[in-house]
Amino acid sequence: MEAPRITFIGAGNVATHLVRAFHDAGAEVVQVCARTPEHARQLAESVGAEAITDPGKADPSVDFCIVCVGDSAVADVARRLPLMHGIVVHTSGSVEMDVLRCASARVGVLYPLQTFSRERSLDVSRVPFFTEGSDADVLAAIDALASLVCGSVAHADSAHRQYLHVAGVLGCNFPNYLIGCAIDMLAAAGYGAEVLRPLVEETVAKVFDAGATAAQTGPARRGDVATIEKHRAMLPEGEACIYDMLSRAIMAKYNNGNEQN
């Protein structure tokens, strides 16, 4: 495809990585819009784009308008956009495509299944993108756009994208919280977070090499109630409830098996 002209709405974690990835892939980033002028200016200047703070000033002639804002803000941004001649997409996992129809006759979704942080470098080419389009031609155009920056593009309508989004929370957000709890426990005993890194990395490797069922170990996996009770007593009340709930779920799944860790 010819180098697409793109306006980005948003300058947060997702937008920061996508703006730079598409720019590096040869797309022309025309505008970057953000509520905070400094955020818009910094990101826009990094790719030679115009910085704006009002979605209503988006260039209607661009090929794509990519809305990279929080899920709860997508519909409001769509209502504030002018009538766009090109394709309008959002990057949300939990928002339906149809909320964009007030901004364009051609709409879709460009959902990257990844966690993004501004301050961390990330190889976007390894991120799987899931797309949806209001018709076959729009979907093909969005697929071609995604293919500029990544090697894995698949289709997911709103219903299937909900499964992806829940899986992302279960596989990323919750483990992040639990690892944070583990780091706090280590700190209470005078240890640094790095002692946990080899364990976490090996756990993730085993999950994808052997599968989560085969990779499961620990006191709940072998039905070691005495150890579970000792651990529970060491934790703050809220974390103890989570520990207990997860332990019960693991024991139920494995029927209190007696295999050793």
Side-chain angles (χ1 to χ4, degrees), residues 151-196:
S152 175
V153 181
H155 299 155
D157 61 18
S158 294
H160 286 85
R161 203 164 56 254
Q162 291 287 352
Y163 284 89
L164 292 167
H165 197 243
V166 173
V169 171
L170 291 172
C172 172
N173 306 139
F174 289 173
N176 181 76
Y177 174 80
L178 292 172
I179 291 169
C181 293
I183 290 171
D184 290 342
M185 181 61 65
L186 289 170
Y191 300 105
E194 282 301 311
V195 304
L196 195 64

Side-chain angles (χ1 to χ4, degrees), residues 221-244:
R221 171 65 178 87
R222 57 182 185 265
D224 185 350
V225 176
T227 297
I228 289 171
E229 288 302 320
K230 288 179 182 178
H231 289 175
R232 195 181 189 285
M234 296 172 65
L235 292 164
E237 182 177 355
E239 292 172 16
C241 289
I242 295 170
Y243 185 100
D244 187 53

Side-chain angles (χ1 to χ4, degrees), residues 4 8 13 22 43 49 60 66 81-82 86 90 95 98 102 125 131 135 141-142 148 184 213 228 232 235 247 251:
F8 279 87
N13 294 329
F22 278 109
L43 186 53
I66 302 179
L81 286 169
H90 68 64
V95 178
D98 288 346
C102 58
S125 69
T131 60
D135 60 49
I142 298 170
L148 286 177
D184 290 342
T213 298
I228 289 171
R232 195 181 189 285
L235 292 164
S247 294
M251 286 192 290

Side-chain angles (χ1 to χ4, degrees), residues 62-259:
V62 296
D63 300 305
F64 293 92
C65 178
I66 302 179
V67 179
C68 300
V69 298
D71 294 2
S72 62
V74 173
D76 179 63
V77 165
R79 287 190 293 267
R80 295 171 63 193
L81 286 169
L83 186 61
M84 306 295 289
H85 304 312
I87 297 171
V88 179
V89 301
H90 68 64
T91 59
S92 170
S94 66
V95 178
E96 294 188 356
M97 171 182 67
D98 288 346
V99 303
L100 302 173
R101 290 187 183 275
C102 58
S104 177
R106 297 186 294 161
V107 299
V109 178
L110 182 70
Y111 174 51
L113 186 60
Q114 182 56 278
T115 176
F116 295 92
S117 298
R118 282 193 191 96
E119 66 277 4
R120 288 187 61 84
S121 62
L122 178 70
D123 183 359
V124 175
S125 69
R126 298 185 61 210
V127 177
F129 280 72
F130 294 88
T131 60
E132 184 180 13
S134 51
D135 60 49
D137 290 340
V138 169
L139 181 60
I142 298 170
D143 286 349
L145 179 71
S147 295
L148 286 177
V149 296
C150 78
S152 175
V153 181
H155 299 155
D157 61 18
S158 294
H160 286 85
R161 203 164 56 254
Q162 291 287 352
Y163 284 89
L164 292 167
H165 197 243
V166 173
V169 171
L170 291 172
C172 172
N173 306 139
F174 289 173
N176 181 76
Y177 174 80
L178 292 172
I179 291 169
C181 293
I183 290 171
D184 290 342
M185 181 61 65
L186 289 170
Y191 300 105
E194 282 301 311
V195 304
L196 195 64
R197 182 188 290 269
L199 175 62
V200 172
E201 291 179 347
E202 176 62 10
T203 299
V204 173
K206 283 202 300 184
V207 165
F208 290 100
D209 289 344
T213 298
Q216 187 70 59
T217 61
R221 171 65 178 87
R222 57 182 185 265
D224 185 350
V225 176
T227 297
I228 289 171
E229 288 302 320
K230 288 179 182 178
H231 289 175
R232 195 181 189 285
M234 296 172 65
L235 292 164
E237 182 177 355
E239 292 172 16
C241 289
I242 295 170
Y243 185 100
D244 187 53
M245 180 174 58
L246 290 175
S247 294
R248 289 179 182 275
I250 293 169
M251 286 192 290
K253 179 174 182 177
Y254 294 97
N255 195 29
N256 291 333
N258 295 314
E259 293 87 347

